[in-house]
Amino acid sequence: MCRFTLYLGPPIRLSALVVEPKHSIIQQSFHSTGQDEPVNGDGFGIAWYVPELSPEPALFRSVTPAWNSSNLSELARVVQSHLILAHVRAATKHGGQSEANCHPFRSGPFAFMHNGDIGDFARLRRPLLTSLGDPAFDSIAGNTDSEHLFALVLDELQRTPGSGVEHLAAALQQAVARVTLLGKLHGNGAPSYLNLALTDGHSAVACRFTTEDDYDGESLFVHTGRVYVCSNGVCRMLAPERGRGCVLISSEPLSDDPGWDALPRNSMVLVTPEGTTSSRPLLV
Amino acid sequence: MCRFTLYLGPPIRLSALVVEPKHSIIQQSFHSTGQDEPVNGDGFGIAWYVPELSPEPALFRSVTPAWNSSNLSELARVVQSHLILAHVRAATKHGGQSEANCHPFRSGPFAFMHNGDIGDFARLRRPLLTSLGDPAFDSIAGNTDSEHLFALVLDELQRTPGSGVEHLAAALQQAVARVTLLGKLHGNGAPSYLNLALTDGHSAVACRFTTEDDYDGESLFVHTGRVYVCSNGVCRMLAPERGRGCVLISSEPLSDDPGWDALPRNSMVLVTPEGTTSSRPLLV
Amino acid sequence: MCRFTLYLGPPIRLSALVVEPKHSIIQQSFHSTGQDEPVNGDGFGIAWYVPELSPEPALFRSVTPAWNSSNLSELARVVQSHLILAHVRAATKHGGQSEANCHPFRSGPFAFMHNGDIGDFARLRRPLLTSLGDPAFDSIAGNTDSEHLFALVLDELQRTPGSGVEHLAAALQQAVARVTLLGKLHGNGAPSYLNLALTDGHSAVACRFTTEDDYDGESLFVHTGRVYVCSNGVCRMLAPERGRGCVLISSEPLSDDPGWDALPRNSMVLVTPEGTTSSRPLLV
Amino acid sequence: MCRFTLYLGPPIRLSALVVEPKHSIIQQSFHSTGQDEPVNGDGFGIAWYVPELSPEPALFRSVTPAWNSSNLSELARVVQSHLILAHVRAATKHGGQSEANCHPFRSGPFAFMHNGDIGDFARLRRPLLTSLGDPAFDSIAGNTDSEHLFALVLDELQRTPGSGVEHLAAALQQAVARVTLLGKLHGNGAPSYLNLALTDGHSAVACRFTTEDDYDGESLFVHTGRVYVCSNGVCRMLAPERGRGCVLISSEPLSDDPGWDALPRNSMVLVTPEGTTSSRPLLV
């Protein structure tokens, strides 16, 4: 599948997500745990917000394996941001990698990433496209199930006026519901695995979801605290205090410190701009 | 725009199209003539048929500029085929190059390439997709106008039973007609430039077409003879004889020898497996 | 050859060098002026300093043509620095492009780039390598003449204790003298073209130099002022004032505003951390 | 480390080495066995001889992981040769991958590949280079230990007149001896792992060698027979007969059929143009 990490909190250096932790995203590109296949070598991507310059996140994507990218190592040294998304890809189909198929995906201020896949996507693709409004339809540049899922999210964001974390949560919930319905109508019974992360540059939401019975789906962990610090190759979350905190949402724990909580099956977590989290079931 | 060359005839080394001629495809990637922009540096592709091993052509595509590809130089030395397509790309939109967006495109035994663009493609894309049968719809992996055009061609090939050069010609003609109609129905008046080449591994057809008035469209040349030979950096077509011949169809003449005939505006040329050519108007 | 730009002054957005000017580095990758070959499509590189995080500049290099790099466009939007180097490459030899062969080159706090070539480099390479101390020898990862030139610069920087702009200037001068001498001893008479830029993150030096008689060498321009601003696609240098200024050193003027002064043949320009410039002959 | 396979015998389709076997080279890029690290995702390369067109082998190399290369899959379908080398790379140092650093390496008719590494290479590199004649010195384009090893081989081939399998064997033996001696003189005690394959387009030699005590070195297997056939995804060597045979030399067995013999520690195998093998100790 894939692996992703989202950070929201006080500005942090990209290296604290991508390089320094024992199970950093670069490590996960090579040696992920809890997957049948430990390699996520089919490209990677990073999105980070620089609010003083632009509401749109900066995007850096490459078909190179993350462990091999000098440019990623360089950016990790000098990029700092309060809101970062990082993704390493294990392509469902091999061959034909392109930057357009790498996560995160972006549209305006929104950034999105996915770990998992849509069951029977080849059967669902055409009715899914038909269901989209023109702006969401036009946003698709590649041919991954993940980008089509993001188009559903954008479609929901555009249909319903609003903003803030509840607006994001509603769009994510509806996108998952639409995929599930499309699967029932047009699919052949293959389950979907939809671990998703979505942000507008201020708030963020993420979910762990599967339509497979008797399986909890791909793993997803949440870790909250005051600040995430790395020193001499050991990273840990400092205990929370009152006021502004930080949140890490990650396919697997980046570090061995306690406090990484597995998100339950078919639930979502909402993160406010202040770094406050709450979770709820994701029912479709 | 782009530049392309198609060869059909006795087996020829790829280098005789790609490297050796004064205006070889590699030269055209850097120094094409008769274009506003002389650079076609946004990737390239080669398709060649090896009928004793497979009815599907082999495909080699890269986002590297052709002039920079060691792998292309190597293949040019050792690939021999009776039917070769070569294309260098100048992307209409910059950014996001991918192998999936490089020509030639292939589906089963068919290979296709395009020089030009569909006017108002962003407006036409959705109704074009809606008009396709499922197999043609599913064939699209990238987001270029050219690949959508190939999907129209495939749609026509599948709708009408048949085979041979007239089957190819009818499909090409119909695909051009459908684009033209879509432009009238949904476009904003921007003209289309549709220089196309299509083959099934035996016969080939190509057209020079534009919907712009008072302009002949992108150039396209046809050169026929017995065999195309290169010696000491000078390439030329040997005069035709009775029996099996060879044909070059190229955006610009590869060499300075006489006999490169410009295809007239809005016409097509048909090439039989024996290398016999005939041309006719392409009316839509 | 190649094209490069160096900026030193108040923090500026990378887009003001790479994207927005009429003759930006991306434009120069496609449409450079004053060269026999207008295309510099064999890769590019950017180095920028983030002194609050590291004395080593960040480096982003790619074999993609600059005009085609989505990642470069993204970085241009969000990178800000007081000291930026940008380079687009036209490889002397085609084939085998690699990131290691792209400029700028970096070692510790030093960054370096080159426009031109060393005459008879194949003959000079071995004695050049023999003349290097081990650290400079070990710094070489690729096989370009430019990186070997940087090794000479590093060798000089390490041989002579010191720091500051005069230390840089002496090293550049000596490196040029060593290449010239190597050419006399081992070359076959082919002239060298050595337009170079070097910085330590605080000061910078650049030179325009050739061993060819009756030719001024590749062009190099210097532009000084208070601040370089871009608005609605028009960029210009605001007139200097007392106090801290900014400097642009560029293979060709980025914009049409007055004040771009050609550096004379065989001379160098020194830039202090305050943005004050002075020039002097470069005699070898 | 890396993984490689060499085939010599009746013309075989590349897919029979690269795609079809259960443990094909593409499988070994993802899931090699008998290594601490199962991934060889840092590029790949193929060399194959087309004697009717050129004495120099064709070379196709890419920094893409082999499992991701559409171009490799395509070539596997249509390339046939009597002598093929295939290599998947696990870089000793991450970052800065380039085609020039991918195996096989080639010079004139010779092709070479390596699995392992030279101990203390950074210390040995300079005296190694000093020891080379100019042609071997000039052959080096990248910065891998493997390419430097090939330069030693070329140096030996040029020093001693001769040809044929014994000429290859002597050069390989001498190159290994020179590396071992350089290690004793300039190294720090780190062992070398030198599994090598070398061919001139007619004969081939390969060795399994290490300077580490109490360890047999990286694995290397030899399989001989009449012809290697793949059918319905099962590949096997047909039993030898009198007359011309075929040989597979591979880091790990490609298929589960019997007859894959491990080459003993510190020995070499010689293969004649007729496919006859013999082995002998490699003593230095």
Side-chain angles (χ1 to χ4, degrees):
Chain A
M1 302 287 190
C2 300
R3 283 298 184 241
F4 69 63
T5 294
L6 178 148
Y7 172 86
L8 187 156
I12 195 174
R13 223 191 271 209
L14 178 56
S15 62
L17 307 178
V18 162
V19 176
E20 297 179 68
K22 186 174 173 185
H23 311 287
S24 72
I25 273 287
I26 286 185
Q27 275 301 311
Q28 293 182 38
S29 75
F30 207 74
H31 273 154
S32 74
T33 60
Q35 286 192 300
D36 292 343
E37 291 291 354
V39 179
N40 296 283
D42 302 329
F44 69 89
I46 308 285
W48 69 100
Y49 288 82
V50 188
E52 62 273 26
L53 290 176
S54 172
E56 286 191 21
L59 199 58
F60 177 73
R61 302 191 290 185
S62 173
V63 296
T64 312
W67 68 77
N68 246 347
S69 171
S70 302
N71 289 326
L72 178 57
S73 306
E74 288 294 305
L75 288 178
R77 281 199 310 118
V78 299
V79 162
Q80 269 191 319
S81 173
H82 76 288
L83 182 42
I84 300 175
L85 297 85
H87 187 278
V88 290
R89 184 166 183 240
T92 324
K93 290 192 296 184
H94 287 153
Q97 269 46 59
S98 74
E99 289 177 15
N101 284 345
C102 290
H103 310 222
F105 300 99
R106 177 188 64 187
S107 178
F110 301 105
F112 173 86
M113 50 192 178
H114 175 207
N115 165 23
D117 67 275
I118 298 180
D120 296 319
F121 176 59
R123 289 169 170 271
L124 272 56
R125 188 182 178 202
R126 198 158 189 177
L128 187 160
L129 286 170
T130 302
S131 80
L132 296 173
D134 281 348
F137 179 90
D138 290 339
S139 75
I140 299 176
N143 63 342
T144 60
D145 55 353
S146 305
E147 194 184 15
H148 286 72
L149 201 42
F150 184 39
L152 285 174
V153 171
L154 293 173
D155 209 43
E156 290 297 323
L157 288 167
Q158 283 150 1
R159 260 172 217 210
T160 323
S163 68
V165 68
E166 287 292 348
H167 191 230
L168 296 178
L172 203 70
Q173 158 100 26
Q174 280 304 104
V176 170
R178 283 170 69 174
V179 168
T180 304
L181 181 61
L182 285 163
K184 283 182 187 151
L185 294 174
H186 305 282
N188 225 352
S192 287
Y193 306 93
L194 307 179
N195 283 15
L196 310 174
L198 173 67
T199 176
D200 60 2
H202 304 283
S203 309
V205 294
C207 70
R208 180 188 194 187
F209 183 85
T210 182
T211 59
E212 182 175 352
D213 296 330
D214 307 321
Y215 175 57
D216 283 350
E218 295 279 298
S219 61
L220 193 62
F221 293 86
V222 179
H223 200 6
T224 58
R226 183 158 50 89
V227 61
Y228 189 67
V229 293
C230 295
S231 174
N232 297 322
V234 178
C235 299
R236 66 199 173 95
M237 185 69 85
L238 299 189
E241 292 186 337
R242 278 175 302 178
R244 201 179 169 86
C246 80
V247 182
L248 277 164
I249 298 172
S250 187
S251 301
E252 49 190 273
L254 299 181
S255 45
D256 293 338
D257 56 328
W260 291 91
D261 295 324
L263 197 66
R265 179 185 195 275
N266 293 8
S267 65
M268 63 195 308
V269 57
L270 289 73
V271 187
T272 69
E274 293 74 33
T276 308
T277 62
S278 57
S279 63
R280 64 177 69 158
L282 196 167
L283 304 173
V284 298
Chain B
M1 302 290 193
C2 301
R3 283 297 185 241
F4 70 63
T5 293
L6 179 148
Y7 172 86
L8 189 157
I12 195 174
R13 223 192 271 209
L14 179 56
S15 63
L17 306 178
V18 161
V19 176
E20 297 179 70
K22 186 174 172 186
H23 311 288
S24 73
I25 273 287
I26 287 185
Q27 275 301 312
Q28 293 181 39
S29 76
F30 207 74
H31 273 155
S32 74
T33 59
Q35 286 192 301
D36 292 344
E37 291 290 354
V39 179
N40 296 284
D42 302 329
F44 69 89
I46 307 286
W48 69 101
Y49 288 83
V50 188
E52 62 273 25
L53 291 175
S54 173
E56 286 192 20
L59 199 56
F60 178 73
R61 302 190 291 185
S62 171
V63 297
T64 313
W67 68 77
N68 246 346
S69 172
S70 301
N71 288 326
L72 178 57
S73 306
E74 288 294 307
L75 289 178
R77 280 200 308 119
V78 299
V79 163
Q80 269 191 319
S81 174
H82 76 288
L83 182 42
I84 300 175
L85 296 84
H87 187 278
V88 289
R89 186 166 181 239
T92 324
K93 289 191 296 183
H94 287 154
Q97 267 49 57
S98 74
E99 289 177 16
N101 284 344
C102 289
H103 311 220
F105 300 100
R106 177 188 63 188
S107 178
F110 301 105
F112 172 85
M113 50 192 178
H114 174 207
N115 165 23
D117 66 275
I118 298 180
D120 296 319
F121 175 60
R123 290 168 169 271
L124 272 57
R125 187 183 178 200
R126 197 160 190 175
L128 187 161
L129 286 170
T130 303
S131 79
L132 295 174
D134 281 348
F137 179 90
D138 291 340
S139 75
I140 299 176
N143 65 341
T144 59
D145 54 354
S146 304
E147 195 184 13
H148 286 71
L149 202 42
F150 184 39
L152 285 174
V153 171
L154 292 173
D155 209 42
E156 290 298 322
L157 287 167
Q158 285 150 358
R159 260 174 217 209
T160 322
S163 67
V165 69
E166 287 292 346
H167 191 231
L168 296 178
L172 202 72
Q173 158 100 26
Q174 280 304 105
V176 170
R178 282 170 70 173
V179 168
T180 305
L181 181 61
L182 285 164
K184 282 180 188 154
L185 293 174
H186 305 281
N188 225 350
S192 288
Y193 306 93
L194 307 178
N195 284 15
L196 310 174
L198 172 68
T199 177
D200 59 4
H202 304 284
S203 310
V205 293
C207 70
R208 180 188 193 187
F209 184 83
T210 180
T211 60
E212 184 176 350
D213 296 328
D214 308 321
Y215 175 58
D216 283 350
E218 295 279 300
S219 61
L220 193 61
F221 293 86
V222 179
H223 200 7
T224 58
R226 182 158 51 89
V227 61
Y228 189 66
V229 293
C230 295
S231 173
N232 297 323
V234 179
C235 300
R236 65 199 172 95
M237 185 69 84
L238 298 190
E241 294 185 337
R242 278 175 303 178
R244 202 179 168 85
C246 81
V247 183
L248 278 164
I249 298 173
S250 187
S251 301
E252 48 190 274
L254 299 181
S255 45
D256 292 338
D257 56 327
W260 291 92
D261 294 324
L263 197 66
R265 179 183 194 276
N266 293 10
S267 65
M268 64 195 307
V269 57
L270 289 73
V271 187
T272 69
E274 294 73 33
T276 309
T277 61
S278 58
S279 63
R280 63 177 70 158
L282 196 167
L283 302 174
V284 298
Chain C
M1 302 288 192
C2 301
R3 283 297 186 241
F4 69 63
T5 294
L6 179 148
Y7 172 86
L8 188 157
I12 195 175
R13 223 193 272 208
L14 178 56
S15 63
L17 307 179
V18 160
V19 176
E20 296 178 69
K22 186 174 172 186
H23 311 288
S24 73
I25 273 287
I26 286 184
Q27 276 301 312
Q28 293 181 39
S29 75
F30 207 74
H31 273 154
S32 74
T33 59
Q35 287 191 301
D36 292 344
E37 292 290 355
V39 180
N40 297 282
D42 302 329
F44 69 89
I46 308 285
W48 70 100
Y49 288 83
V50 188
E52 62 274 24
L53 291 176
S54 172
E56 286 191 21
L59 199 57
F60 178 74
R61 302 190 292 186
S62 173
V63 297
T64 312
W67 69 77
N68 246 346
S69 171
S70 301
N71 289 326
L72 177 58
S73 305
E74 288 294 305
L75 288 178
R77 280 199 311 119
V78 299
V79 162
Q80 270 192 318
S81 173
H82 77 288
L83 181 44
I84 299 174
L85 297 84
H87 187 278
V88 289
R89 185 167 182 238
T92 324
K93 288 192 296 183
H94 287 154
Q97 269 46 58
S98 74
E99 289 178 15
N101 284 345
C102 290
H103 310 222
F105 301 100
R106 177 188 64 186
S107 178
F110 301 105
F112 173 86
M113 51 191 176
H114 175 207
N115 165 23
D117 66 276
I118 298 181
D120 295 319
F121 175 60
R123 290 168 170 270
L124 273 56
R125 188 183 177 200
R126 196 156 192 180
L128 187 161
L129 286 170
T130 302
S131 79
L132 295 173
D134 280 348
F137 179 90
D138 290 340
S139 75
I140 299 176
N143 64 343
T144 59
D145 55 353
S146 304
E147 194 184 13
H148 286 71
L149 202 42
F150 184 38
L152 286 174
V153 170
L154 292 173
D155 209 42
E156 290 297 323
L157 287 166
Q158 284 150 358
R159 259 172 217 210
T160 322
S163 68
V165 69
E166 287 293 346
H167 191 230
L168 296 178
L172 202 70
Q173 158 100 28
Q174 280 303 106
V176 171
R178 283 170 69 174
V179 168
T180 305
L181 181 60
L182 286 163
K184 283 182 187 151
L185 293 174
H186 304 281
N188 225 350
S192 288
Y193 306 93
L194 307 178
N195 284 14
L196 310 174
L198 173 68
T199 176
D200 59 3
H202 304 284
S203 310
V205 294
C207 69
R208 180 189 193 186
F209 183 84
T210 182
T211 60
E212 183 175 352
D213 297 330
D214 308 321
Y215 175 57
D216 283 350
E218 294 279 299
S219 61
L220 193 62
F221 292 86
V222 180
H223 200 7
T224 58
R226 181 157 52 90
V227 61
Y228 189 67
V229 293
C230 296
S231 173
N232 297 323
V234 179
C235 299
R236 65 198 173 96
M237 184 70 84
L238 298 190
E241 293 186 336
R242 278 173 303 176
R244 203 178 168 85
C246 80
V247 183
L248 278 164
I249 298 173
S250 186
S251 302
E252 50 190 272
L254 299 181
S255 45
D256 292 338
D257 56 329
W260 292 90
D261 294 324
L263 197 65
R265 180 184 193 274
N266 293 9
S267 64
M268 63 194 308
V269 57
L270 290 72
V271 187
T272 69
E274 293 74 33
T276 309
T277 61
S278 58
S279 64
R280 64 178 67 159
L282 195 168
L283 303 174
V284 299
Chain D
M1 301 289 191
C2 301
R3 282 297 183 246
F4 68 63
T5 293
L6 179 147
Y7 172 86
L8 188 156
I12 195 174
R13 223 193 273 210
L14 179 56
S15 63
L17 307 179
V18 161
V19 176
E20 296 178 71
K22 186 173 173 187
H23 311 286
S24 72
I25 273 286
I26 286 184
Q27 274 301 311
Q28 293 181 38
S29 76
F30 207 73
H31 273 155
S32 74
T33 59
Q35 287 192 301
D36 292 344
E37 291 290 353
V39 180
N40 297 282
D42 302 328
F44 68 90
I46 308 286
W48 70 100
Y49 287 82
V50 188
E52 62 274 25
L53 291 175
S54 171
E56 287 192 20
L59 199 57
F60 177 72
R61 302 191 291 186
S62 172
V63 297
T64 312
W67 68 77
N68 246 345
S69 171
S70 302
N71 289 326
L72 178 57
S73 306
E74 288 294 305
L75 289 178
R77 280 201 309 119
V78 299
V79 163
Q80 269 192 319
S81 174
H82 76 288
L83 182 41
I84 300 175
L85 298 84
H87 187 278
V88 289
R89 185 167 182 238
T92 325
K93 289 191 297 185
H94 287 154
Q97 268 49 56
S98 74
E99 288 176 16
N101 284 345
C102 290
H103 309 224
F105 300 100
R106 177 188 64 187
S107 179
F110 301 105
F112 172 86
M113 50 191 179
H114 175 206
N115 165 23
D117 67 274
I118 299 181
D120 296 319
F121 176 60
R123 288 168 171 272
L124 272 57
R125 187 183 178 200
R126 197 157 190 178
L128 187 160
L129 285 171
T130 303
S131 80
L132 296 173
D134 281 348
F137 179 90
D138 290 340
S139 75
I140 299 176
N143 63 344
T144 59
D145 55 353
S146 305
E147 195 185 12
H148 286 71
L149 202 42
F150 184 39
L152 286 174
V153 171
L154 292 173
D155 209 42
E156 291 297 324
L157 288 167
Q158 284 149 359
R159 261 172 215 209
T160 322
S163 68
V165 69
E166 287 292 345
H167 191 231
L168 295 178
L172 202 71
Q173 157 101 25
Q174 280 304 104
V176 170
R178 283 170 69 174
V179 168
T180 304
L181 180 62
L182 285 164
K184 283 182 186 150
L185 294 174
H186 305 281
N188 225 351
S192 287
Y193 306 93
L194 308 178
N195 283 15
L196 310 175
L198 173 67
T199 177
D200 59 3
H202 304 283
S203 309
V205 294
C207 69
R208 180 189 194 187
F209 184 85
T210 180
T211 60
E212 183 175 351
D213 297 330
D214 309 321
Y215 175 58
D216 282 350
E218 295 278 298
S219 61
L220 193 62
F221 293 86
V222 180
H223 200 7
T224 58
R226 181 158 53 89
V227 62
Y228 190 66
V229 292
C230 296
S231 173
N232 297 323
V234 178
C235 299
R236 64 199 173 95
M237 185 71 83
L238 298 189
E241 294 185 334
R242 277 174 304 177
R244 202 178 169 88
C246 81
V247 183
L248 276 165
I249 299 173
S250 185
S251 302
E252 50 189 272
L254 298 182
S255 45
D256 293 338
D257 55 328
W260 291 92
D261 295 324
L263 197 66
R265 181 183 192 275
N266 293 9
S267 65
M268 62 196 307
V269 57
L270 288 73
V271 186
T272 68
E274 292 73 34
T276 308
T277 61
S278 58
S279 63
R280 63 178 69 158
L282 196 166
L283 302 174
V284 298

